[in-house]
Amino acid sequence: LGDLVGRIEEKVKADPSNIGNQILLAQTYSELGRNDDGIAVLRKIPAGKPETSRAHIVLASLLAKTSQPDAISEAFKLLDTASKADAAQKGYAELYRGKIYVGQGKSDVAIKPWDAALKKLPVTDNARSQIEDELSKAKMKN
């Protein structure tokens, strides 16, 4: 990942309008333990771009890793905003909403929204299998 991050940074510098590369850079920073750097990248993404909702989902996931109450509150708001703005992100918003609850030790709170999401999400939604896996794990804990 160390070599990869340099190449992604160069791509972001070469084409700052490519939101996908910025999201990838933020995720890579987080994987390298540079969560704050990832958050900083995502906070610079302007609103109103087609990829903004996806960036909000990723930002929420990085904020949740901090476990700070203000960051958790912001993460929930970002998930709400993303799922309202882009129906394609609804599954991922619900996935990460539940993951935040699990991270807070509230697996039982995550179960209900995940069950509800599975009833509403189309079978083709990419988040569906991840929600099913997380739901299975959460139910085993309870």
Side-chain angles (χ1 to χ4, degrees):
L1 282 179
D3 294 337
L4 178 63
V5 77
R7 291 193 302 267
I8 299 170
E9 287 170 336
E10 290 301 318
K11 285 183 178 185
V12 168
K13 285 179 189 173
D15 184 6
S17 66
N18 187 319
I19 305 300
N21 282 343
Q22 292 179 47
I23 292 170
L24 180 60
L25 178 61
Q27 290 171 315
T28 305
Y29 279 154
S30 182
E31 289 297 317
L32 290 169
R34 296 172 57 186
N35 203 50
D36 290 343
D37 290 336
I39 290 170
V41 167
L42 294 171
R43 288 198 186 282
K44 292 178 186 173
I45 293 176
K49 299 281 187 178
E51 302 92 342
T52 300
S53 292
R54 190 168 133 239
H56 284 166
I57 298 285
V58 176
L59 178 55
S61 73
L62 299 187
L63 288 168
K65 289 181 179 182
T66 70
S67 300
Q68 297 170 353
D70 289 347
I72 298 297
S73 178
E74 182 182 356
F76 280 125
K77 288 176 187 171
L78 287 166
L79 294 173
D80 289 341
T81 300
S83 65
K84 288 176 186 169
D86 183 357
Q89 297 302 321
K90 190 156 189 67
Y92 285 107
E94 292 308 316
L95 171 67
Y96 285 105
R97 184 181 322 282
K99 283 186 166 201
I100 292 170
Y101 287 130
V102 170
Q104 294 176 320
K106 301 176 184 174
S107 297
D108 56 322
V109 177
I111 291 171
K112 187 175 179 181
W114 279 339
D115 275 335
L118 289 176
K119 290 176 185 167
K120 295 177 188 173
L121 290 174
V123 177
T124 57
D125 192 301
N126 292 330
R128 194 176 178 84
S129 65
Q130 292 177 54
I131 292 172
E132 289 169 342
D133 289 344
E134 294 294 332
L135 184 57
S136 176
K137 291 178 207 172
K139 286 181 176 179
M140 287 174 45
K141 289 181 181 179
N142 289 323

